[in-house]
Amino acid sequence: MTGYENVLKELKQILKSFVPQGQDIHEETDLVADLDLDSLKVMKILESVEDRFDISIPLNIMPDVRTVKDFVLQIQKLDG
């Protein structure tokens, strides 16, 4: 299982390539409201996360993922 801080760091790196340069990304950052992600970007992010962590993310968990922290916790569950 990958540690929380490591997953957070990796996820932030992935997200940075999909948001405007200089956009702050924190644990409580809302993926849609704060980062203005559309469905295409979300799908590309999911693909990047799946490749990076070698996991498969079921789409039915996505409604429960609102913040960066929520996403990290879901990745940890799937990676464990």
Side-chain angles (χ1 to χ4, degrees), residues 21-66:
Q21 189 170 358
Q23 172 78 47
D24 287 336
I25 301 172
H26 306 285
E27 288 179 291
E28 297 306 318
T29 300
D30 188 292
L31 295 169
V32 176
D34 296 334
L35 299 182
D36 197 30
L37 297 176
D38 60 28
S39 58
L40 180 59
K41 285 182 183 176
V42 169
M43 294 307 293
K44 288 183 178 182
I45 289 168
L46 289 178
E47 183 179 314
S48 296
V49 168
E50 287 179 334
D51 290 345
R52 167 60 189 91
F53 293 100
D54 194 27
I55 58 175
S56 179
I57 300 173
L59 293 179
N60 66 338
I61 69 164
M62 293 314 293
D64 297 328
V65 176
R66 292 195 48 90

